[in-house]
Amino acid sequence: MKKFASLLTFSVLTVFALVVLFPSCEGPEGPTGPSGQDGINGTDGTDGVDANSFCIECHTLDNKNAIKTQFTTFSKHGNPGFELAYAGGRNDCAMCHSHQGFMETTMTGRDTIGTAIPIPVGLQCETCHDFHMTLEEDGFPDYALRNNKPVSLLVDGHATSIDVKGSGNVCSYCHQPRMQAGFPLVPNGTDSIAIHSSHWGTHYGTQSVILMATGGFEIPGSLPYESTAHKTSTDCATCHMNKDGGEGVGGHTYRMKTIDGVENIAACTTCHSSATSFDINGVQTEIGELIHHLEELLMEHKLIDETGHAIPHSADNGLGRKFTSNEAGAVFNLLLIHYEGSHGIHNYKYTKALLTNTIEMAEAW
Ligand code: HEC
Ligand code: HEC
Ligand code: HEC
Ligand code: HEC
Ligand code: HEC
Ligand code: HEC
């Protein structure tokens, strides 16, 4: 029994030695042969696509956070005022005043929503962005914009559309004049226009049509309806999203001036190298004076009140008769240019022609 046990121990140890300690028992090595010649170097492979150098021009967390801050701190889009609750859910306002209204109307192609929105929210990143149209580098910059197609205009009942350069159609869907009673107005037309409300006119955001030199009441006069080169050389983002002006302007603030009124001149000096203020060649001053002159004329003719609103035709302080199309057109032009807010910067030539020719007409009344 003892002998059997030691035999067993011996065999186990032998197996252990064979399997574990000498796993590859081979015969003795032969003499080492001479080393072979080095092979020829292979040619370098072509560089792979460096995803980092291209995608991260935009996609870094720092950039995203900076954009979020700009958007929610400085832009009314991301930080809307009372008009979100007032207009964001309403049938004929929501398309421009809430995320849901914009999403619904860009999908349905209608100007109104199906049913009032009980809890409207302000613009989100996804209002303007969805996904890239391409991921090929030569297709960039591609800003993954959602609705960057020509804008069919409300103001003439969708008879015409505008196609703003670059990313400008995204802005112009909302920054366009609205349709009102009597529109579209025809210069020297025979219709008389009933004005029932002091809110008659173009509404606030009229910038896109002015930039594109269209949509005004083009009464013939001494100036031709020409366009400044901004129509072809810039889009909304060129100026409003220029990032070189420091905090509080440009990028996703969309602002041209800080809250304290400091102008983002960097947005102009790329082309107007000697500019020191927006009032290049005194253009804003000149347009401001023309606006003031037209206002005085229209007040004299009882078409607008001292707050700049149209006077309903049957009001005590009003005309006592409906407006002629030229009278309504004069008020229309004033409001179009007043609410465009740039005093001639968006399109100096078109703005000056509308104001000058309207003033000539009103002076002859
Ligand atoms: C010119 C700037 C820019 C470049 C370059 C760029 N993107 Fe984008 N990308 C955007 C913007 C803007 C959005 C939409 C807003 C957002 O999600 O930040 C977006 C969205 C995306 C989304 C969707 C993100 C989401 O949360 O839904 C993906 C995925 C994406 N990009 C991938 C890429 C890839 C991959 C590349 C490189 C091949 C690339 N992008 C290059 C600007 C850019
Ligand atoms: C076609 C788009 C559009 C529609 C439709 C629209 N708005 Fe606006 N609204 C704008 C834009 C753009 C601005 C801001 C323009 C600017 O700051 O120059 C604005 C500004 C306003 C303001 C703020 C004015 C201020 O002093 O800041 C109010 C109030 C307002 N809208 C109410 C309404 C109401 C009420 C309706 C519906 C009856 C309506 N809007 C329909 C585009 C629209
Ligand atoms: C009102 C529309 C709008 C909204 C809302 C918006 N963007 Fe943009 N965004 C644009 C446009 C337009 C451009 C392209 C600018 C250009 O043409 O130079 C852009 C460009 C970008 C870019 C690439 C350029 C850059 O600055 O790096 C990024 C990234 C981006 N957006 C992210 C965002 C994020 C994140 C949000 C939400 C916090 C957001 N955007 C909200 C309109 C919008
Ligand atoms: C969905 C509709 C919508 C789109 C798209 C949109 N806007 Fe606006 N924008 C508005 C409204 C509404 C206001 C007024 C908001 C308020 O007063 O609360 C406004 C206000 C502004 C203002 C002045 C208020 C401020 O924040 O200083 C500027 C400048 C502006 N938008 C520029 C742009 C530019 C540039 C684009 C395109 C990149 C754009 N908007 C796209 C609806 C829009
Ligand atoms: C050539 C540069 C330039 C272009 C292009 C441009 N803007 Fe402007 N925009 C300005 C300047 C400058 C102002 C006025 C700043 C001031 O004096 O207060 C202004 C004013 C505005 C205002 C009024 C801002 C406020 O605080 O009330 C809005 C809204 C606006 N622009 C929207 C747009 C939209 C939308 C587009 C494209 C359709 C556009 N802009 C194209 C330079 C530009
Ligand atoms: C991408 C280039 C570009 C940018 C950016 C630009 N402009 Fe211009 N601007 C032009 C061109 C081109 C003209 C046409 C010059 C002409 O017709 O004499 C012009 C004309 C003008 C005019 C009319 C001048 C006149 O006397 O006829 C004014 C005013 C003006 N720009 C102001 C501005 C302001 C303010 C900014 C910045 C907010 C700006 N521009 C940004 C290219 C640009």
Side-chain angles (χ1 to χ4, degrees), residues 43-51 53 137:
T43 47
D44 290 344
T46 44
D47 290 340
V49 180
D50 184 354
S53 72
E137 186 164 8

Side-chain angles (χ1 to χ4, degrees), residues 114-125:
T115 182
I117 298 161
I119 308 173
V121 296
L123 303 199
Q124 311 289 310
C125 309

Side-chain angles (χ1 to χ4, degrees), residues 99-282:
H99 170 68
Q100 297 103 312
F102 178 90
M103 297 296 275
E104 181 181 329
T105 56
T106 51
M107 261 186 278
T108 60
R110 292 169 180 262
D111 304 335
T112 52
I113 48 175
T115 182
I117 298 161
I119 308 173
V121 296
L123 303 199
Q124 311 289 310
C125 309
E126 294 74 26
T127 315
C128 299
H129 294 291
D130 65 6
F131 192 62
H132 296 289
M133 297 299 285
T134 174
L135 286 178
E136 299 296 328
E137 186 164 8
D138 58 11
F140 274 73
D142 174 293
Y143 294 110
L145 293 169
R146 182 181 296 286
N147 190 42
N148 197 19
K149 54 180 191 218
V151 177
S152 166
L153 294 178
L154 299 169
V155 70
D156 60 7
H158 299 291
T160 58
S161 53
I162 51 172
D163 191 3
V164 188
K165 208 176 153 279
S167 54
N169 289 329
V170 172
C171 316
S172 303
Y173 181 81
C174 300
H175 287 270
Q176 59 162 315
R178 296 183 59 209
M179 188 71 172
Q180 288 276 355
F183 288 13
L185 299 162
V186 186
N188 298 319
T190 50
D191 284 354
S192 39
I193 317 292
I195 310 275
H196 292 298
S197 158
S198 61
H199 280 87
W200 184 90
T202 57
H203 197 56
Y204 297 90
T206 59
Q207 294 83 12
S208 59
V209 293
I210 296 294
L211 180 67
M212 297 306 284
T214 187
F217 183 76
E218 296 184 5
I219 191 83
S222 64
L223 289 184
Y225 289 101
E226 288 174 344
S227 175
T228 297
H230 285 178
K231 172 179 170 178
T232 47
S233 60
T234 66
D235 69 345
C236 316
T238 318
C239 297
H240 286 268
M241 296 181 78
N242 173 294
K243 291 183 184 173
D244 300 327
E247 201 187 46
V249 287
H252 284 71
T253 75
Y254 312 98
R255 296 179 61 92
M256 294 304 304
K257 282 180 181 166
T258 64
I259 288 161
D260 302 326
V262 181
E263 297 179 342
N264 184 4
I265 285 298
C268 318
T269 48
T270 42
C271 301
H272 303 279
S273 52
S274 58
T276 53
S277 89
F278 292 158
D279 199 6
I280 294 172
N281 298 341

Side-chain angles (χ1 to χ4, degrees), residues 253-322:
T253 75
Y254 312 98
R255 296 179 61 92
M256 294 304 304
K257 282 180 181 166
T258 64
I259 288 161
D260 302 326
V262 181
E263 297 179 342
N264 184 4
I265 285 298
C268 318
T269 48
T270 42
C271 301
H272 303 279
S273 52
S274 58
T276 53
S277 89
F278 292 158
D279 199 6
I280 294 172
N281 298 341
V283 157
Q284 287 190 308
T285 309
E286 181 193 6
I287 295 295
E289 281 164 9
L290 289 173
I291 292 175
H292 185 65
H293 188 159
L294 181 58
E295 267 169 353
E296 284 184 336
L297 284 166
L298 300 188
M299 272 191 263
E300 227 173 79
H301 287 280
K302 298 189 174 184
L303 299 172
I304 62 166
D305 63 20
E306 58 292 341
T307 66
H309 289 93
I311 306 177
H313 70 277
S314 53
D316 290 346
N317 55 343
L319 266 186
R321 59 163 173 79
K322 291 181 183 174

